[in-house]
Each structure stands twice: as C-alpha cells, then as structure tokens.
C-alpha cells in the first residue's frame, strides 16, 4: 500500500491547540493576554484594528447568512482585509473591490469612527477660506483604509502565531501515524498537513522517526535551517513531511546590507539563532515582514499563494506524491480549502482503485460545511467504495491503525 496522510486542524485540537472558532474569538476580543502577538504599524491602534475586523465580520456575515449559512471565521475576515490591502497596494488590482473600499470609508471611517463631523468641519473651513472646496484640498481617504487593511492582516497573523506557537501537549492521539509508518514502511508514505503548528514534527521526533520537511538538517552559520526542496528528491529520502500552508516558525531572512530579494531565503530559526550571530562574510541576518512568519492565512487568496516560492514546490511535491499513492487518509480536515480539495478530488478520480478514508468526529456535520467540489461527489464515491467515513473523536478515543487499514480494505 502506498499511503499518504493529510492532517487538518481537528488533528491538533487534542494536543491543546485552539480550534478555528477559538482563534476567531481571540482575534476579535481585542485582548492580547500573555501571548501578545499583535502587530500594528504607527498611526494605528489595536482597538481601531479590532473594531475594523469586527466590521469586516459583519460584511462577511451578511453573505454567509444566505445560502451557505455558516459562521464567519478569522480566515474569511483575513481574506476580505487582504483583498482591500492588495488592491490599494496595486498588488492585485480588482475593480470589484473598489465598492468595498468606499463602504469602508463611509460606513466605518465616517460613521463608526466618527470622521463625518471632521469632514464637515473641513469642508466648511475650505468654503470660508477659498470660496470652494478644491478636490486637491480634500484628504486622501484611501490611505487610512490601506493602513487599516495592512494592520488588520498583520494583527491576525501575529495573533495566530502567538496562539499556535506553544509546544503541544501529549500527542498519543497521533500514535496511528507511527503505527502506519511501521506497517507500511517509510518509503511508501507521505505526510501532509495544512496546520501551522509543530505538532507533527514533535510527534515524529519523540518517537525517533526521521523525516524530511524540506529544510536543511544542519543550520547555517547564523543558526537557521534553510529551505532546500532538493531534499525531497534525494536518494534514500526519509518520510516527506509537507506543510502545505507553512509553519508558525517559518520566516524570510535577509543578510544585512544585501540587495532586496537577491540573497533573501526562507528558513527555520533554531535555538542558536540570534541577532548577534554573523555569517562567513561578517553579516547579521534579519527576519523580514515585521518579524511575522510566512504561513498562509485566508480562504481564496491562498490559491494565488500556491504559486509563490516554497509553496509552489510544496504543492508540486504533494501532486507528485499523490500520483504514487493508492490510499489517502484524511484526519481532522474540513475540506474548506479549494486548492487542497482539488488535489484530493483530482487524485481520487485518476484511478478506480484509489481509496480515501476520512476520519472525523461527526462526518455528517463535516459534509455540511465542506465545499461543493467534494460535497457533491461524496455519494457516488461512497457508493463505489472509494470513500469511507470513519467516525472518531480524537479528543475522547484513540485511533488505531488497524481500524484505518480495515476501512481501506473494506473497499
């Protein structure tokens, strides 16, 4: 059996990590607690950013209360904020977003933030002084919106990092992974996860299971393990571990004095990394992007990020690994990401012998919140025994590999 395993956030909750709902509540609460993690640029405040995030939540709620009927989460809010930010930065100019920018100006800045009286006073003063309010005298309201959107995305990223950075609690609920490796063999298995935490790496290391995560095993001179995708293709490679949405400890680095992008690299800082460490040229290496990690957040904006450096290589390797896979085990994943869903659905239709086992505490509820690409296909796949649902609440019961193997063999 050539096996691949895909873990979602449901596989991390038993280890003490917060669920999507809890992360959303923390971000919208406005309280930083002991974890910190908020990043707000000058000219803004955490209170203003949180108010803006709550306002964006109401915009998303107005859409999701019809038809889909699901609760808005932090990834939905991040998607909205990133669309506004990217359009105003001319990263992805989107004419459809401009009405939303106007809505932010009128409904949030003017009405909710109390800018309307200030604008009225400004216009009255201009009329008195000049006789007419010239357009060049009016304030540029897009800049405050741009700042708000940038602060909003950074705030979410910083809070998610803080909430997921903690070491995991006991990982006994993932014993089935080690059992699978022993039963199937290292060479015939690929591990994939959409989680940002370090649960899977910690679990494997604690059981002395070697793996390749795409980063050099030995740190460079400044204490950073550098991204090296060639490790996935090396002879006698270890079990590949593909973090398809990045990790809470992934950062972009740049040597001091280097031209932008020329010597930038992605890496994982080890405990030896510090701002005082120097490379062979006597240069310190600094974290970029306001010291924030580079994992992926959001909904449909992730699709464009899959072609970015590192993620394109990860997605490609996942595609190639699935091509050699006849059995895919999905644990704790809600089928809410279009890119990952496409990987799975394309794979299962490549061959009638492909078998997909989905483990969830409540499969019926899972399918209700899954996206249409898999939702509309599940009945046919179940009928042909290519899809088997295995109910299991990992917080209350352990999943044994023999149960999974039996589910695969039932087809």
């Amino acid at each position: 059996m050539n096996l691949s395993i895909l873990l979602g956030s449901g596989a991390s909750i038993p280890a003490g990590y917060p669920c999507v709902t809890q992360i959303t509540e923390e971000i919208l609460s406005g309280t930083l607690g002991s974890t910190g993690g908020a990043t707000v640029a000058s000219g803004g405040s955490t209170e203003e950013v949180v108010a803006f995030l709550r306002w964006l939540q109401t915009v998303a709620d107005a859409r999701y209360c019809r038809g889909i009927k699901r609760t808005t989460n932090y990834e939905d809010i991040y998607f909205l904020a990133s669309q506004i930010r990217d359009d105003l930065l001319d990263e992805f100019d989107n004419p459809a977003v401009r009405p939303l920018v106007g809505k932010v100006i009128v409904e949030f800045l003017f009405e909710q933030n109390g800018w309307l009286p200030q604008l009225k006073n400004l216009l009255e003063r201009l009329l008195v002084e000049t006789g007419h309010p010239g357009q060049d005298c009016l304030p540029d309201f897009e800049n405050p919106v741009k700042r708000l959107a940038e602060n909003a995305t950074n705030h979410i990223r910083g809070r998610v990092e803080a909430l997921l950075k903690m070491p995991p609690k006991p990982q006994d609920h993932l014993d089935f992974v080690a059992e699978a490796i022993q039963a199937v063999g290292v060479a015939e298995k690929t591990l994939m996860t959409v989680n940002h935490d370090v649960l899977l790496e910690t679990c494997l290391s604690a059981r002395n299971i070697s793996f390749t995560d795409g980063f050099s095993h030995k740190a460079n001179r400044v204490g950073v393990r550098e991204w090296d995708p060639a490790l996935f293709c090396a002879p006698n490679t270890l079990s590949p571990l593909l973090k398809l949405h990045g990790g809470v400890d992934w950062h972009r680095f740049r040597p001091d004095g280097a031209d932008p992008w020329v010597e930038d690299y992605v890496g994982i800082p080890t405990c030896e990394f510090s701002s005082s460490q120097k490379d062979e040229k006597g240069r310190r290496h600094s974290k970029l992007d306001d010291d924030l990690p580079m994992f992926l957040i959001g909904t449909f904006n992730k699709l464009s990020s899959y072609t970015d450096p590192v993620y394109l290589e990860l997605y490609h390797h996942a595609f190639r690994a699935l091509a050699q896979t006849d059995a895919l085990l999905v644990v704790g994943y809600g089928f809410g990401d279009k890119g990952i869903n496409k990987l799975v659905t394309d794979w299962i239709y490549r061959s009638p012998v492909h078998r997909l086992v989905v483990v969830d505490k409540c499969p019926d509820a899972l399918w209700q919140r899954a996206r249409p690409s898999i939702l509309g296909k599940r009945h046919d796949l179940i009928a042909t025994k290519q899809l088997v649902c295995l109910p299991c609440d990992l917080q209350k019961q352990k999943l044994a590999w023999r149960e999974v193997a039996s589910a695969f063999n039932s087809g």
Side-chain angles (χ1 to χ4, degrees):
M1 176 191 297
N2 287 320
L3 173 71
S4 288
I5 300 176
L6 172 63
L7 301 184
S9 61
S12 291
I13 294 172
Y17 290 104
C19 66
V20 171
T21 300
Q22 291 171 321
I23 294 175
T24 303
E25 291 173 350
E26 284 284 337
I27 289 172
L28 295 176
S29 70
T31 58
L32 301 183
S34 60
T35 57
T39 302
V40 177
S42 60
S45 69
T46 301
E47 292 75 14
E48 180 188 44
V49 169
V50 171
F52 180 53
L53 294 175
R54 291 172 180 163
W55 182 85
L56 288 175
Q57 181 188 31
T58 64
V59 174
D61 284 344
R63 169 64 177 90
Y64 294 137
C65 70
R66 303 191 311 270
I68 300 177
K69 294 184 179 179
R70 68 174 180 83
T71 304
T72 300
N73 60 49
Y74 75 94
E75 301 225 52
D76 302 313
I77 299 170
Y78 187 95
F79 175 49
L80 276 175
S82 68
Q83 286 186 95
I84 296 171
R85 177 200 63 195
D86 292 343
D87 181 72
L88 294 178
L89 289 173
D90 293 326
E91 286 288 336
F92 295 101
D93 45 299
N94 185 354
V97 173
R98 284 295 158 149
L100 178 58
V101 173
K103 192 178 178 73
V104 174
I105 294 172
V106 174
E107 295 187 11
F108 182 77
L109 293 181
F110 285 2
E111 296 179 5
Q112 187 166 323
N113 259 23
W115 280 28
L116 201 55
Q118 300 176 41
L119 178 62
K120 182 180 178 182
N121 292 337
L122 174 63
L123 292 174
E124 289 176 348
R125 181 171 57 82
L126 288 172
L127 281 169
V128 171
E129 293 178 358
T130 66
H132 63 87
Q135 186 173 351
D136 56 341
C137 298
L138 294 176
D140 181 1
F141 293 114
E142 288 189 355
N143 279 331
V145 177
K146 184 193 305 181
R147 173 179 55 78
L148 262 177
E150 289 184 283
N151 281 338
T153 52
N154 285 347
H155 181 78
I156 293 175
R157 184 173 295 276
R159 292 298 292 128
V160 171
E161 176 196 17
L163 292 166
L164 299 183
K165 208 169 186 177
M166 65 177 187
K169 295 177 181 178
Q171 313 98 37
D172 294 347
H173 67 288
L174 291 185
D175 283 347
F176 70 89
V177 176
E179 295 171 2
I181 293 174
Q182 184 176 9
V184 178
V186 171
E188 289 78 32
K189 185 184 61 57
T190 297
L191 299 174
M192 297 179 287
T193 178
V194 294
N195 301 334
H196 310 310
D197 56 57
V198 296
L199 171 62
L200 194 50
E201 300 96 304
T202 304
C203 173
L204 296 174
S205 298
R207 291 159 177 76
N208 295 315
I209 298 174
S210 300
F211 60 90
T212 298
D213 60 2
F215 292 87
S216 60
H217 298 289
K218 183 179 179 181
N220 61 18
R221 289 282 294 271
V222 299
V224 177
R225 295 175 54 216
E226 295 189 40
W227 172 251
D228 182 7
L231 294 170
F232 289 130
C233 303
N236 302 317
T237 187
L238 305 173
S239 289
L241 169 56
L242 309 177
K243 300 190 76 165
L244 298 174
H245 290 167
V248 74
D249 52 357
W250 293 16
H251 288 268
R252 285 202 310 129
F253 292 87
R254 178 179 299 161
D256 290 351
D259 292 331
W261 303 104
V262 175
E263 295 183 68
D264 293 2
Y265 66 95
V266 175
I268 298 176
T270 66
C271 58
E272 300 171 354
F273 173 75
S274 72
S275 58
S276 61
Q277 292 281 73
K278 295 182 179 180
D279 62 18
E280 60 279 358
K281 296 181 180 179
R283 302 176 300 178
R284 296 181 177 87
H285 292 203
S286 302
K287 293 179 182 178
L288 303 177
D289 308 317
D290 297 319
D291 201 23
L292 292 170
M294 55 169 288
F295 52 75
L296 302 182
I297 308 181
T299 51
F300 303 107
N301 54 298
K302 285 176 183 167
L303 292 172
S304 61
S305 297
Y306 287 146
T307 59
D308 289 349
V310 178
Y311 293 108
L312 179 60
E313 293 156 326
L314 282 169
Y315 200 89
H316 170 71
H317 194 81
F319 184 87
R320 293 290 301 273
L322 284 175
Q324 307 301 317
T325 294
D326 49 44
L328 174 61
L329 172 63
V330 175
V331 181
Y333 171 60
F335 290 93
D337 184 277
K338 287 183 69 68
I340 303 301
N341 288 356
K342 186 169 179 58
L343 272 178
V344 174
T345 54
D346 284 356
W347 164 79
I348 201 166
Y349 281 110
R350 283 185 217 166
S351 171
V353 304
H354 287 173
R355 295 290 180 267
L356 170 63
V357 171
V358 176
V359 176
D360 194 86
K361 65 179 180 180
C362 185
D364 289 339
L366 165 68
W367 298 125
Q368 292 302 314
R369 64 180 184 269
R371 295 206 179 275
S373 62
I374 188 74
L375 179 63
K377 301 176 175 66
R378 77 186 192 284
H379 293 302
D380 291 341
L381 294 173
I382 290 173
T384 58
K385 297 185 178 181
Q386 282 189 271
L387 169 62
V388 176
C389 298
L390 191 59
C392 179
D393 187 345
L394 295 179
Q395 290 184 277
K396 299 178 180 178
Q397 61 190 110
K398 291 187 66 174
L399 176 66
W401 169 247
R402 64 178 180 275
E403 298 176 70
V404 178
S406 176
F408 279 121
N409 293 331
S410 66

